[in-house]
Amino acid sequence: MTNQNPDCLFCKIIAGEIPSKKIYENDEVYAFADIQPIAPVHYLFVTKTHICCAKKINTENSQSVAKIFEAIAEVAEKENIDSYRVITNCGEDAGQSVMHLHFHMVAGKKMGWGEQSLG
Ligand code: AMP
Ligand code: ZN
């Protein structure tokens, strides 16, 4: 069962109303290439259900989050991506610009640690 928000960019992408470069899809997860990649590999994994952000993860919907991590592992294996980083930004100060829960999968370059390291 999915819950969509008609005003949400990622809900529109999931519905196919806005084009995206699909990487992966199952009943609960959709993954596509980030339009402004910060590394050679930069995919976004989103729950098909509209959840605004990590703050709203709860016992009812956390299974979708588990499915995202399963999907990430599957894509990594399929694409031979041995080392990668998974990020979710929650809230404005953390840099969240689209209010639909998503996980960045970033790979293909050496990454440091710290607030500037992914810019
Ligand atoms: P965040 O800033 O963590 O909310 O991440 C939102 C991400 O969505 C950014 O990395 C954007 O580059 C990406 N993005 C925005 N619009 C699109 C789009 N139409 N297709 C693919 N990625 C997008
Ligand atoms: Zn949405």
Side-chain angles (χ1 to χ4, degrees):
M1 197 175 62
T2 57
N3 167 40
Q4 311 279 294
N5 175 338
D7 299 323
C8 168
L9 173 66
F10 287 174
C11 282
K12 288 181 188 164
I13 285 178
I14 293 161
E17 291 163 20
I18 291 176
S20 65
K21 187 177 172 245
K22 180 164 110 174
I23 301 296
Y24 178 94
E25 183 170 18
N26 68 26
D27 284 354
E28 292 178 61
V29 177
Y30 187 73
F32 55 103
D34 197 294
I35 206 166
Q36 281 190 295
I38 61 165
V41 174
H42 187 173
Y43 302 149
L44 298 174
F45 287 74
V46 305
T47 50
K48 282 195 173 173
T49 292
H50 180 87
I51 302 168
C52 79
C53 55
K55 265 186 277 192
K56 297 291 182 189
I57 298 171
N58 56 36
T59 49
E60 313 267 284
N61 61 28
S62 59
Q63 189 55 28
S64 302
V65 180
K67 293 284 173 195
I68 282 191
F69 278 83
E70 288 175 24
I72 290 170
E74 208 176 311
V75 168
E77 185 166 347
K78 208 173 287 173
E79 299 195 7
N80 271 313
I81 302 168
D82 187 46
S83 182
Y84 56 89
R85 184 172 285 179
V86 179
I87 304 152
T88 189
N89 296 320
C90 179
E92 210 181 314
D93 280 359
Q96 185 175 9
S97 60
V98 180
M99 295 306 288
H100 179 130
L101 183 64
H102 56 280
F103 292 78
H104 300 254
M105 178 192 194
V106 181
K109 71 170 188 184
K110 273 259 181 221
M111 289 173 260
W113 189 247
E115 66 183 78
Q116 301 302 326
S117 61
L118 288 168

